[in-house]
């Protein structure tokens, strides 16, 4: 009953009604939990504000503060985002956020027990609200690890079966392409993706087959997207050079040239005719005991492989260019301007991002990869967060690493909440810089409506992170 007999010095007599409302709101979480308290706050917020303003109104209409502003005027909520939440909902979420502790120290059981002992002894220990916050954070830590064990981690046997299926498909494609087009200048194909970095979550259902193309150095040059009239950092043009000395058809890839540039769309069409149109996948599938079919429609060339009765694997066929400076470009079109930017090759930072994340974890035994996998699983299982991809989450964590040094396993709950807050901030700003190339905005392919929906979902998740985990765990996994 600590909230019932609070200090009310300096306030006008309100016959106990305002105190009752304050008590109900301050103790709602003890009875209803965080989510219930947020809903109750939305329902009572307008009434409480109206009542507080009425009892606080000056007796004289001329009574004002020195600043000239009426003391009973409705407060302004700072840091709001009108694009994501409306006024009342943002106020409630803001109050919920203030109730969440910010120190990972509160998660430690020993710290919690010491706090309880001090409170019982009647000393100057933490208040009841401090104890509640510590319990909430300890609960979140437990829920995160439980979610990780039950919904994030993939059994080693399932991963091994998926890798074997991907390897079988890669071998068949390699044999076919070498036999069908022996003069096509390709380097050795290889498998890649989160399945091979131990960063895949929920199910082992996705792999990438990288197909490196060989370009003649004196016939092709690369141009960064920001140096073109399109001004799209993170995408590149591959321009045909020396046509006066080496006319068209001097290079094998001249057949995929559009307007003087190597078109990733045309390259994909060449492979699509071979992989989807020429290979007898039913016959190969019967030999391998798989069911194999091309996925249509697909923004890239994708094969669906059913290797068990209830297990499927999706293999993306990705043509790849590796420049002299090590820049990796893949034939994956710009999501919002595929037609207008059909000659643009996408720069891939995945290998470097993953290497940096793992190196940081190895230095201090941190939880960065664990935090990433939990976030990926939440986004994969929650339809409202499907538009957040692995690259965006990885870079948000890498940027957070520059500000936060404590990534111990005990700090997982703190770092997870910080990641959610950081994503909300980036969505409000409309930009997420790439940690390896800050000029690249990783949110450039999101629509305004998608930004609003993502921001709203994450705001609500900050007031009830455990509810976010529960709702994700109840969703069926999707490819």
């Amino acid at each position: 009953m600590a909230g019932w007999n609070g200090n009310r010095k300096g306030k006008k007599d309100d016959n106990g009604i305002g105190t009752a409302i304050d008590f109900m709101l301050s103790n709602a979480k003890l009875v209803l939990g965080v989510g219930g308290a947020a809903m109750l706050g939305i329902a009572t917020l307008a009434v409480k504000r109206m009542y507080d303003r009425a009892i606080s109104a000056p007796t004289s209409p001329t009574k004002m503060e020195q600043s000239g502003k009426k003391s009973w005027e409705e407060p302004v909520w700072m840091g709001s985002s009108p694009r994501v939440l409306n006024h009342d909902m943002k106020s409630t979420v803001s109050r919920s956020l203030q109730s969440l502790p910010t120190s990972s120290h509160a998660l430690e059981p020993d710290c919690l027990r010491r706090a309880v002992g001090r409170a019982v002894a009647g000393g100057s220990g933490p208040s009841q609200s401090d104890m509640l916050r510590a319990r909430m954070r300890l609960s979140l830590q437990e829920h995160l690890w439980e979610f990780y064990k039950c919904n994030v981690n993939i059994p080693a046997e399932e991963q091994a079966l998926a890798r074997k299926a991907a390897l079988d498909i890669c071998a068949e494609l390699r044999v076919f392409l070498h036999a069908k087009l022996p003069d096509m200048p390709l380097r050795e194909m290889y498998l890649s993706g989160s399945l091979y970095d131990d960063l895949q979550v929920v199910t082992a259902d996705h792999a990438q087959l990288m197909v490196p193309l060989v370009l003649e150095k004196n016939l092709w040059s690369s141009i960064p997207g920001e140096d073109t009239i399109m001004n799209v950092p993170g995408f590149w043009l591959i321009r045909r050079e020396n046509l006066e000395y080496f006319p068209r058809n001097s290079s094998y890839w001249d057949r995929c040239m559009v307007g003087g540039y190597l078109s990733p769309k045309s390259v994909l069409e060449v492979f699509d005719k071979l992989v989807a149109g020429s290979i007898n996948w039913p016959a190969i599938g019967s030999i391998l005991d798989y069911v194999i079919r091309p996925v249509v429609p697909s923004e890239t060339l994708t094969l669906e492989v059913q290797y068990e009765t209830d297990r499927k694997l999706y293999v993306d066929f990705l043509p790849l260019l590796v420049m002299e400076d090590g820049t990796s470009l893949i034939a994956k079109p710009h999501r919002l301007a595929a037609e207008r930017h059909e000659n643009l090759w996408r720069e891939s930072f995945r290998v470097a991002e993953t290497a940096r994340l793992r190196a940081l974890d190895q230095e201090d035994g941190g939880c960065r990869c664990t935090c990433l996998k939990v976030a990926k699983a939440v986004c994969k299982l929650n339809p409202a967060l499907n538009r957040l991809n692995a690259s965006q989450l990885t870079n948000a964590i890498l940027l957070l690493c520059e500000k936060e040094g404590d990534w111990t396993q005990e700090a997982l709950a703190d770092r997870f909440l910080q990641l959610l807050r950081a994503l909300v901030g980036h969505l409000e700003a409309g930009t997420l810089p790439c940690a390896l190339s800050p000029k690249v905005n990783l949110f450039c392919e999101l629509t305004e409506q998608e930004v609003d929906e993502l921001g709203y979902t994450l705001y609500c998740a900050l007031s009830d992170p455990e509810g976010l985990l529960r709702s994700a765990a109840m969703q069926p996994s999707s490819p």
Side-chain angles (χ1 to χ4, degrees):
M1 303 295 288
W4 182 261
N5 296 315
N7 183 15
R8 304 188 53 232
K9 184 184 293 187
K11 292 186 67 175
K12 292 189 176 183
D13 184 16
D14 58 1
N15 297 323
I17 300 177
T19 304
I21 295 176
D22 286 332
F23 172 79
M24 178 174 61
L25 288 176
S26 63
N27 291 275
K29 288 179 184 175
L30 291 173
V31 180
L32 303 177
V34 180
M39 295 298 293
L40 180 61
I42 294 174
T44 60
L45 184 62
V47 176
K48 183 178 183 299
R49 280 212 306 257
M50 185 185 303
Y51 183 79
D52 286 343
R53 287 162 53 191
I55 66 173
S56 301
T59 56
S60 170
T62 60
K63 183 179 179 181
M64 293 187 179
E65 298 177 352
Q66 291 182 357
S67 63
K69 181 178 179 180
K70 299 176 183 178
S71 61
W72 48 272
E73 187 173 336
E74 182 176 348
V76 177
W77 297 93
M78 303 303 292
S80 63
S81 174
R83 292 185 60 196
V84 181
L85 297 176
N86 63 45
H87 182 73
D88 286 345
M89 296 181 72
K90 188 179 299 296
S91 301
T92 304
V93 173
S94 177
R95 291 191 173 191
S96 297
L97 293 183
Q98 294 172 10
S99 69
L100 295 176
T102 57
S103 172
S104 61
H105 190 58
L107 295 171
E108 299 177 9
D110 290 341
C111 176
L112 185 58
R113 284 193 292 270
R114 287 195 298 270
V116 173
R118 287 195 299 268
V120 172
S124 58
S127 65
Q128 184 179 13
S129 61
D130 292 333
M131 294 296 302
L132 178 60
R133 293 172 187 174
R135 291 192 185 98
M136 287 166 55
R137 296 303 287 278
L138 183 60
S139 176
L140 177 58
Q141 181 86 347
E142 293 170 346
H143 276 78
L144 283 169
W145 283 112
E146 182 67 21
F147 180 78
Y148 180 83
K149 294 175 183 176
C150 298
N151 301 97
V152 178
N153 244 1
I154 303 173
E157 179 186 359
E158 181 181 346
Q159 294 189 61
L161 289 173
R163 290 170 181 166
K164 179 181 181 303
L167 189 61
D168 291 339
I169 296 300
C170 179
E172 292 294 334
L173 281 171
R174 184 186 298 116
V175 171
F176 176 83
L177 290 177
H178 281 271
K180 184 77 173 180
L181 297 170
D183 59 333
M184 180 182 283
L186 298 175
R187 292 190 176 92
E188 195 66 24
M189 293 185 289
Y190 62 93
L191 290 162
S192 183
S194 58
L195 181 61
Y196 295 87
D197 298 326
D198 194 28
L199 290 175
Q200 194 150 114
V201 297
V202 185
T203 57
D205 61 2
H206 195 268
Q208 295 176 338
L209 177 58
M210 313 305 293
V211 187
L213 315 184
V214 177
L215 296 180
E216 298 84 352
K217 294 180 182 179
N218 60 329
L219 300 186
W220 303 94
S221 64
S222 57
I223 305 172
E226 61 270 24
D227 292 346
T228 69
I229 193 173
M230 291 174 284
N231 189 23
V232 189
F235 290 81
W236 294 66
L237 286 171
I238 305 299
R239 183 170 60 192
R240 178 67 156 86
E241 302 286 3
N242 299 321
L243 278 168
E244 62 275 20
Y245 301 109
F246 302 94
R248 197 179 180 100
N249 296 326
S250 297
S251 170
Y252 181 91
W253 301 110
D254 281 345
R255 67 194 68 191
C256 300
M257 188 169 57
V258 175
Y261 298 92
L262 181 62
S263 169
K265 181 180 178 181
S266 296
V267 171
L268 278 172
E269 288 174 352
V270 168
F271 284 111
D272 184 65
K273 291 177 182 177
L274 292 169
V275 176
S278 300
I279 300 180
N280 188 347
W281 287 117
I284 294 176
S286 64
I287 296 173
L288 298 174
D289 199 20
Y290 301 154
V291 177
I292 308 170
R293 62 177 70 91
V295 176
V296 180
S298 174
E299 63 181 21
T300 58
L301 178 55
T302 303
L303 295 174
E304 177 189 290
V305 183
Q306 184 172 342
Y307 61 96
E308 294 283 341
T309 305
D310 58 345
R311 290 176 179 172
K312 292 182 179 180
L313 175 71
Y314 295 86
V315 181
D316 288 338
F317 191 92
L318 283 178
L320 167 72
L321 297 174
V322 180
M323 302 293 100
E324 290 185 355
D325 61 356
T327 301
S328 295
L329 309 177
I330 57 176
K332 188 174 182 180
H334 191 290
R335 177 170 167 258
L336 300 182
E339 295 299 326
R340 185 160 55 94
H341 297 160
E342 65 178 19
N343 281 351
L344 289 175
W345 291 75
R346 181 188 299 268
E347 184 171 0
S348 174
F349 300 96
R350 193 195 64 79
V351 174
E353 291 166 353
T354 303
R356 176 177 289 191
L357 198 70
R358 289 201 175 282
L360 290 171
D361 265 356
Q362 288 174 0
E363 289 176 4
D364 57 13
C367 65
R368 298 169 186 83
C369 290
T370 301
C371 188
L372 172 62
K373 292 175 75 171
V374 170
K376 286 176 64 175
V378 167
C379 293
K380 182 173 184 176
L381 293 171
N382 191 327
L385 297 175
N386 280 170
R387 284 301 177 191
L388 286 177
N389 59 41
S391 178
Q392 293 162 347
L393 296 173
T394 302
N395 279 275
I397 292 176
L398 289 175
L399 292 173
L400 192 58
C401 290
E402 298 175 1
K403 304 176 182 178
E404 178 58 57
D406 181 12
W407 285 89
T408 58
Q409 301 294 323
E410 294 77 13
L412 177 61
D414 279 318
R415 301 295 81 80
F416 181 73
L417 285 174
Q418 275 190 312
L419 174 61
L420 296 184
R421 288 192 182 98
L423 288 169
V424 169
H426 290 304
L427 286 165
E428 285 184 327
T431 179
L432 173 60
C434 175
L436 303 181
S437 181
K439 62 189 175 184
V440 177
N441 176 15
L442 298 175
F443 282 165
C444 70
E445 296 176 85
L446 291 177
T447 66
E448 185 173 340
Q449 181 180 356
E450 289 168 345
V451 168
D452 290 345
E453 291 174 352
L454 290 170
Y456 173 81
T457 303
L458 292 174
Y459 260 119
C460 295
L462 279 168
S463 65
D464 185 13
E466 293 179 11
L468 178 68
L469 299 178
R470 286 192 298 270
S471 62
M474 291 187 295
Q475 295 289 337
S477 61
S478 58

